[in-house]
Amino acid sequence: MYQQRLTKQFAYLAFALVLFSSVSSCKNEDQKKSSEPKTEAKAEPTSKIETPEGMVWVEEKTFLQGAKDTDNYAMPREKPAHWVTVDGFFMDITEVTNKQFKAFVEATNYITIAEREIDWEEMKKELPPNTPKPHDSILQPGSLIFNKDVNAVVNMENYGQWWTWKTGANWRHPDGPESTIEGKDDYPVVHVAYQDALAYCEWANRRLPTEAEWESAAQGKNTNTIFTWGNDAAKLDANANTWQGVFPTKNESQDGFEFISPVKSYPPNSIGLYDMAGNVWEITSDFFSVKYYSELDTSKPIVNPKGAATHFNPNNPYQVEHVMKGGSFLCHASYCASFRISAKMGVSVDSGSDHMGFRTVATPDMLSSKE
Ligand SMILES: [Ca+2]
Ligand SMILES: [Ca+2]
């Protein structure tokens, strides 16, 4: 029944199918060793531009993008790993917060997609042909939220068991109309779609990171590690807000938070970036294509890659999807293990949820042209 409800849930169906297939196929995959190119990282920004408040400079460097040799959870779309060189840039040290997003909305009167009336004629273009129109009572502004009351699941393929379309859920009301963000200025904004994030960026003179920029930043001072803190999986709970126990029915919260956490609740990575792993997923500018890496020429480092030429996801062919990174407070090793640097999923341009947000980047050119 959930398959006939809303376009955003189709995105998550694809997402669940991809996850399920990857969980069952991620073991015993053999990956060619990658030999590290000899390149020197630049120690200082090439720009004289002062670092904007709330950002850090991510140095130019050459690093291994994609699944690492020792990563047993890596999915086919994360392979092969390949060396890339990415120019330096500034990045937000945290996910964009409610306080920051509120400033944007107050300045612009922007209305997010989750707050807008739903146009069925537009929506059905993103659905399989002949999808029946849902009842008008369902076609109301809203967003997807995690069902915190789920206590049993029949099979992990049916994500509809733990996702719920919530009328009235949006960035101001993350759990539905009765909820608020009062007192949550320092929580990451959620229920923002890719298009909403672009609007914020335009106002703030920022842009979304490419996937390669995001991985460069997540690596920090490293070049070839699975996690933002290194390669030790046992350090997960101390470094990221994810899910412990049994997903999605029992969260034992050993990391201190059952659901979303304020930004900076965990230690930063080696260059001062918080919550790159976990808490909320982060949207990037790259199209999501499951075959992108497999078609690259990896014989030499790729310079400033900007992702696939177009989106490609056989499980979700009717929607334009972008890559999101880092996983969320819902990520568990048994299900997607998306707290790994190379992990990624696709999200359609008009879909938000209560476990996805974004952070922004800026280049010296962008900042100097603003002056
Ligand atoms: Ca947690
Ligand atoms: Ca995050």
Side-chain angles (χ1 to χ4, degrees):
M1 190 173 103
Y2 65 90
Q3 289 165 302
Q4 298 176 354
R5 289 174 69 185
L6 285 167
T7 179
K8 294 163 188 177
Q9 286 172 304
F10 277 90
Y12 277 83
L13 174 60
F15 151 121
L17 289 171
V18 169
L19 288 186
F20 183 76
S21 61
S22 64
V23 167
S24 58
S25 65
C26 67
K27 308 291 184 187
N28 302 321
E29 292 199 47
D30 193 20
Q31 184 186 346
K32 280 197 297 187
K33 295 277 179 189
S34 303
S35 55
E36 183 165 2
K38 301 260 187 299
T39 55
E40 295 291 324
K42 291 181 184 174
E44 298 295 331
T46 53
S47 163
K48 306 290 187 213
I49 302 277
E50 197 174 319
T51 302
E53 185 181 351
M55 302 187 98
V56 292
W57 178 253
V58 181
E59 294 171 3
E60 176 193 312
K61 69 168 176 288
T62 299
F63 69 99
L64 190 65
Q65 183 172 18
K68 311 304 177 286
D69 294 338
T70 54
D71 184 353
N72 294 325
Y73 289 104
M75 302 180 186
R77 62 177 177 266
E78 299 170 39
K79 299 178 181 181
H82 50 281
W83 291 94
V84 301
T85 300
V86 171
D87 290 345
F89 58 96
F90 297 105
M91 181 179 242
D92 292 338
I93 63 172
T94 71
E95 296 143 339
V96 172
T97 63
N98 285 326
K99 182 179 181 179
Q100 291 173 302
F101 200 78
K102 187 176 178 185
F104 155 63
V105 169
E106 287 181 348
T108 61
N109 294 317
Y110 183 81
I111 297 171
T112 61
I113 291 172
E115 298 169 282
R116 299 177 197 168
E117 295 299 319
I118 294 173
D119 183 342
W120 172 245
E121 294 305 311
E122 285 300 312
M123 177 182 284
K124 71 181 184 184
K125 295 174 186 171
E126 300 180 359
L127 299 173
N130 304 316
T131 299
K133 183 184 178 186
H135 191 272
D136 285 345
S137 64
I138 295 172
L139 283 178
Q140 297 296 320
S143 190
L144 280 173
I145 64 170
F146 177 72
N147 179 3
K148 296 172 179 173
D149 298 324
V150 63
N151 51 29
V153 291
V154 179
N155 71 69
M156 293 300 286
E157 193 169 2
N158 183 356
Y159 75 91
Q161 297 168 104
W162 61 87
W163 283 106
T164 300
W165 175 261
K166 186 76 170 179
T167 298
N170 58 53
W171 74 274
R172 300 174 196 271
H173 305 288
D175 296 321
E178 69 285 358
S179 65
T180 80
I181 54 170
E182 204 173 324
K184 294 186 172 179
D185 274 357
D186 59 347
Y187 280 66
V189 67
V190 291
H191 297 300
V192 285
Y194 172 82
Q195 292 173 343
D196 300 322
L198 289 188
Y200 175 93
C201 287
E202 184 177 0
W203 169 77
N205 189 32
R206 302 285 185 265
R207 63 170 171 79
L208 293 174
T210 65
E211 183 179 13
E213 287 172 334
W214 194 96
E215 287 203 21
S216 175
Q219 286 285 341
K221 293 179 178 173
N222 302 321
T223 58
N224 186 9
T225 60
I226 298 173
F227 306 108
T228 59
W229 55 89
N231 286 313
D232 186 355
K235 293 181 178 175
L236 172 64
D237 296 353
N239 284 281
N241 182 10
T242 62
W243 182 289
Q244 295 82 47
V246 182
F247 184 81
T249 54
K250 183 171 176 52
N251 190 347
E252 295 173 349
S253 306
Q254 282 103 332
D255 62 14
F257 289 90
E258 187 174 7
F259 301 114
I260 196 170
S261 55
V263 299
K264 296 188 177 180
S265 295
Y266 297 82
N269 77 350
S270 56
I271 57 170
L273 295 164
Y274 294 85
D275 301 302
M276 291 292 279
N279 207 21
V280 293
W281 284 97
E282 300 174 20
I283 311 166
T284 73
S285 58
D286 285 23
F287 282 122
F288 179 73
S289 169
V290 297
K291 61 183 182 182
Y292 169 47
Y293 286 179
S294 68
E295 295 178 343
L296 290 172
D297 173 5
T298 58
S299 58
K300 59 178 187 290
I302 302 164
V303 179
N304 294 321
K306 294 197 166 36
T310 190
H311 57 100
F312 179 72
N313 180 0
N315 291 320
N316 194 21
Y318 300 102
Q319 297 183 327
V320 178
E321 291 186 322
H322 283 258
V323 171
M324 58 178 183
K325 299 288 286 184
S328 79
F329 61 88
L330 296 176
C331 284
H332 184 266
S334 71
Y335 194 57
C336 68
S338 292
F339 34 75
R340 298 168 299 105
I341 293 174
S342 63
K344 60 172 121 185
M345 287 189 192
V347 62
S348 73
V349 293
D350 58 357
S351 293
S353 68
D354 63 352
H355 77 147
M356 187 184 79
F358 67 104
R359 81 176 73 208
T360 74
V361 299
T363 56
D365 283 355
M366 290 168 65
L367 299 174
S368 58
S369 65
K370 184 78 172 180
E371 288 176 348

